[in-house]
């Protein structure tokens, strides 16, 4: 059962809204209040039933909530934590959904001080290429990983409360350190988004962009799907995790240089070897990791 009676969502878009829908689907009967810098989004979330009420003021909403969830772009984490610090209840817990964790953790230590133990950093590995309250769906987290990056100041009981909430949404709980989280996701999430945005931007700037988009088919659509995601959110993620992202980008550029050399020298065997290795690695990933994910469980 969910341990929280009143959840306050800072951000009522895709992630915040989907969490609300998933909790309601699971039978949660507590109160859900929303705060959003976009008044139109907040009103729409209320209209869609994603929240029970719009916060009258930050002080009132924070003072009443026993769980505060930050579902805003990661660059807003520090100012949000600073704004809520004076109004926190003694028994409140705070968590987030940020795609980077080292910067979020640093912000929590800086802004929360001796109350940092109430902050449980988390990241649901789920999303869509559409945004806003209308994008919210009740099964966004079903079967998807939810990574918690605990702090030494967190208690096991508090971590369990946050984990149980996500498990009610059918998420699969995993644990990583903040640094390991950022190293992993720089490669498998942040770099792919950067590459997807870059490719679409390159085509859009081409003199024959109209003709190229006319003939772009499923391969281009699949590769560039994530370029439909929020530019603001991914700007913040890219900058927040720039050290790790630059390392992986440099490695990728080296791989491209290797392939370019093979193409320039008509090294067909070399090109095929790279393609074959990638194909086999992807098949292994699909048949092992994805199969295990469907079975559920925690790690």
């Amino acid at each position: 059962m969910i341990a929280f009676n009143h959840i306050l969502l800072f951000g009522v878009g895709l992630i915040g809204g989907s969490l609300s829908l998933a909790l309601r689907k699971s039978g949660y009967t507590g109160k859900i209040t929303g705060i959003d810098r976009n008044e139109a989004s907040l009103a729409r979330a209320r209209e869609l039933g994603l929240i029970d009420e719009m916060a009258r003021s930050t002080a009132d909403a924070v003072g009443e909530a026993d769980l505060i969830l930050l579902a805003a772009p990661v660059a807003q984490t520090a100012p949000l934590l600073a704004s809520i610090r004076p109004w926190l209840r003694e028994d409140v817990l705070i968590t987030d959904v940020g795609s980077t964790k080292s910067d979020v953790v640093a912000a929590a230590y800086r802004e929360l001080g001796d109350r940092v133990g109430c902050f449980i950093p988390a990241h649901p590995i789920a999303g869509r290429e559409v945004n806003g309250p209308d994008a919210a769906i009740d099964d966004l987290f079903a079967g998807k990983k939810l990574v918690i990056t605990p702090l030494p100041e967190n208690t096991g009981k508090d971590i369990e409360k946050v984990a149980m909430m996500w498990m009610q949404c059918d998420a699969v709980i995993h644990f990583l350190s903040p640094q390991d989280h950022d190293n992993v996701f720089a490669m498998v999430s942040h770099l792919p988004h950067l590459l997807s945005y870059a490719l679409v931007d390159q085509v859009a700037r081409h003199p024959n962009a109209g003709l190229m988009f006319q003939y772009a088919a499923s391969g281009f659509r699949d590769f560039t799907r994530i370029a439909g995601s929020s530019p603001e959110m991914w700007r913040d993620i890219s900058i927040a995790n720039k050290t790790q992202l630059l390392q992986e980008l440099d490695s990728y550029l080296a791989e491209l240089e290797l392939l370019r050399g093979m193409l320039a020298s008509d090294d067909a065997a070399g090109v095929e070897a790279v393609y074959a290795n990638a194909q086999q690695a992807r098949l292994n990933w699909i048949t092992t990791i994805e199969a295990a994910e469907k079975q559920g469980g925690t790690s």
Side-chain angles (χ1 to χ4, degrees):
M1 293 295 293
I2 299 173
F4 309 110
N5 296 313
H6 186 174
I7 298 174
L8 173 60
L9 301 176
F10 273 89
V12 294
L14 171 64
I15 300 299
S18 294
L19 174 64
S20 176
L21 290 177
L23 289 176
R24 293 303 189 201
K25 183 180 180 180
S26 75
Y28 178 67
T29 59
K31 186 176 182 180
I32 301 177
T33 301
I35 295 181
D36 198 288
R37 58 183 174 163
N38 186 318
E39 290 295 328
S41 292
L42 192 60
R44 181 58 175 160
R46 180 68 183 89
E47 180 182 350
L48 293 170
L50 304 181
I51 56 176
D52 298 312
E53 67 176 33
M54 299 180 285
R56 299 181 302 276
S57 72
T58 298
D60 288 343
V62 171
E64 294 172 2
D66 53 6
L67 176 72
I68 299 170
L69 183 130
L70 308 182
V74 291
Q76 296 180 32
T77 302
L80 282 176
L81 291 175
S83 71
I84 67 177
R85 174 65 178 86
W87 321 109
L88 296 177
R89 290 168 36 166
E90 285 300 319
D91 60 345
V92 73
L93 291 182
I94 309 168
T95 189
D96 78 314
V97 297
S99 296
T100 56
K101 292 272 79 83
S102 296
D103 62 314
V104 166
V105 167
Y109 277 108
R110 184 172 64 251
E111 304 299 341
L112 295 178
D114 60 358
R115 293 298 308 277
V116 74
C118 72
F119 181 72
I120 316 290
H123 175 204
I125 315 304
R128 305 175 70 195
E129 65 275 16
V130 286
N131 313 292
D134 287 283
I137 54 176
D138 64 12
D139 61 350
L140 183 66
F141 311 109
K144 303 296 176 57
K145 296 180 179 69
L146 183 285
V147 179
I148 296 176
T149 61
L151 307 180
E153 292 84 357
N154 297 150
T155 68
K157 182 179 180 181
D158 287 344
I159 293 170
E160 183 180 5
K161 287 180 180 179
V162 172
M164 286 299 296
M165 178 191 70
W166 286 105
M167 290 172 68
Q168 286 288 113
C169 302
D170 294 325
V172 182
I173 308 302
H174 288 246
F175 294 92
L176 290 171
S177 71
Q179 185 64 41
D180 284 344
H181 171 281
D182 289 353
N183 288 339
V184 168
F185 286 96
M187 173 63 88
V188 301
S189 177
H190 308 164
L191 180 61
H193 277 81
L194 183 151
L195 300 177
S196 182
Y197 281 121
L199 178 59
V200 178
D201 184 65
Q202 180 184 359
V203 174
R205 294 174 185 275
H206 196 279
N208 291 324
L211 186 64
M212 291 185 171
F213 279 125
Q214 179 181 349
Y215 288 98
S218 57
F220 184 85
R221 182 175 61 248
D222 292 346
F223 184 77
T224 62
R225 175 185 61 81
I226 53 179
S229 303
S230 166
E232 179 190 10
M233 179 179 75
W234 282 100
R235 174 204 67 194
D236 289 352
I237 291 168
S238 299
I239 298 300
N241 203 27
K242 70 175 184 179
T243 300
Q244 290 84 352
L245 181 54
L246 284 170
Q247 291 175 355
E248 302 306 341
L249 180 58
D250 287 344
S251 295
Y252 191 80
L253 289 171
E255 179 82 359
L256 291 179
E257 282 294 329
L258 179 66
L259 271 171
R260 188 187 187 287
M262 292 175 181
L263 287 172
S265 62
D266 293 321
D267 183 2
V271 171
E272 183 178 1
V274 172
Y275 289 1
N277 183 59
Q279 179 196 46
Q280 188 59 54
R282 190 178 190 280
L283 288 173
N284 291 343
W285 167 57
I286 293 295
T287 57
T288 57
I289 306 244
E290 294 296 277
E293 185 177 278
K294 291 179 181 179
Q295 296 175 4
T298 61
S299 70

